[in-house]
Amino acid sequence: MAFELPPLPYAYDALDPYMSAQTLQFHHDKHHQAYVTTLNNLIKDTPLADKSLEEICKASYGDPSKQTIFNNAGQHWNHTLFWQMMKKGGGGAIPGELEAKIKEDLGGIDQFKEAFTQAGMTQFGSGWAWLVVDGGKLKVTKTPNGENPLVHGQTALLGCDVWEHSYYLDYQNRRADYLKAYLDNMVNWEFVAELYSKA
């Protein structure tokens, strides 16, 4: 069965002024749709056509002959989570159990935000900054291009897209401002906490 672009869980202007309606519409309707369309075309009539998105990511990662499949499958997986990781009026307080774990494993909320921002800033070119569960511990990581924690045996809790199309219309080259706005004003911490509870 062909993959489909998931609808946004909010209106295009829900994240204004931190992510503009124009950015969100282009990012979701054009960029994410392109990953879905390309992935469907690449796996049609192949053994991967009946596999889940997670299975396709794992089966194609690290295989040079399937690099294009992985690029598009990885980005479809990443973005499907990314839209849910944000909400109108996001940021703010972190649910208690997750907050306690962040303090225990990462030294505190400020330290976590600093590490997450640093991961996003030091990802050269395109990629993602992540908060993950790895071996029962929270870690901040980064991945290039469409790579994700899934293929490294980690559980993604929070991911920020630092491809330029995610922020350039709103922030130009100010990636640090975008990352700050994401953490302080866009993150859907209830969704992140739900992912943590299942990890």
Side-chain angles (χ1 to χ4, degrees):
M1 203 168 96
F3 292 106
E4 295 181 358
L5 179 70
L8 284 174
Y10 34 72
Y12 290 122
D13 64 356
L15 304 177
D16 265 341
Y18 309 105
M19 185 179 287
S20 67
Q22 185 184 26
T23 288
L24 199 51
Q25 191 163 6
F26 270 103
H27 196 170
H28 177 267
D29 296 7
K30 305 296 185 187
H31 289 280
H32 192 175
Q33 180 65 70
Y35 299 132
V36 174
T37 302
T38 304
L39 176 61
N40 284 331
N41 290 336
L42 288 169
I43 64 173
K44 189 179 179 184
D45 301 324
T46 76
L48 292 175
D50 298 324
K51 302 292 187 187
S52 71
L53 185 58
E54 289 76 12
E55 288 171 330
I56 294 170
C57 285
K58 291 175 181 177
S60 58
Y61 177 67
D63 183 343
S65 70
K66 295 184 175 73
Q67 184 65 49
T68 308
I69 291 175
F70 175 74
N71 290 344
N72 288 279
Q75 283 290 73
H76 179 30
W77 189 90
N78 292 353
H79 282 84
T80 298
L81 273 180
F82 183 54
W83 309 131
Q84 299 175 81
M85 290 169 171
M86 297 183 289
K87 70 171 186 177
K88 183 179 181 68
I94 301 172
E97 191 180 347
L98 178 59
E99 182 184 38
K101 185 67 170 168
I102 289 174
K103 289 177 178 176
E104 179 186 335
D105 291 350
L106 301 173
I109 304 304
D110 290 344
Q111 289 86 340
F112 151 69
K113 288 184 175 182
E114 187 179 329
F116 191 90
T117 301
Q118 186 67 8
M121 288 299 296
T122 56
Q123 175 50 50
F124 185 75
S126 300
W128 294 75
W130 300 98
L131 173 66
V132 304
V133 179
D134 187 1
K137 294 275 189 184
L138 295 186
K139 291 182 181 175
V140 172
T141 64
K142 59 185 176 180
T143 58
N145 302 315
E147 202 174 301
N148 53 44
L150 176 69
V151 300
H152 297 292
Q154 301 165 332
T155 301
L157 300 183
L158 181 66
C160 186
D161 186 348
V162 294
W163 285 58
E164 287 189 341
H165 64 235
S166 188
Y167 64 89
Y168 214 81
L169 288 175
D170 301 325
Y171 298 91
Q172 287 76 51
N173 64 328
R174 302 190 311 277
R175 188 186 282 189
D177 290 350
Y178 161 64
L179 285 158
K180 177 174 172 48
Y182 178 75
L183 289 170
D184 291 348
N185 304 105
M186 289 188 268
V187 173
N188 181 352
W189 283 113
E190 288 72 28
F191 179 74
V192 176
E194 186 183 330
L195 293 178
Y196 172 64
S197 72
K198 297 173 182 174

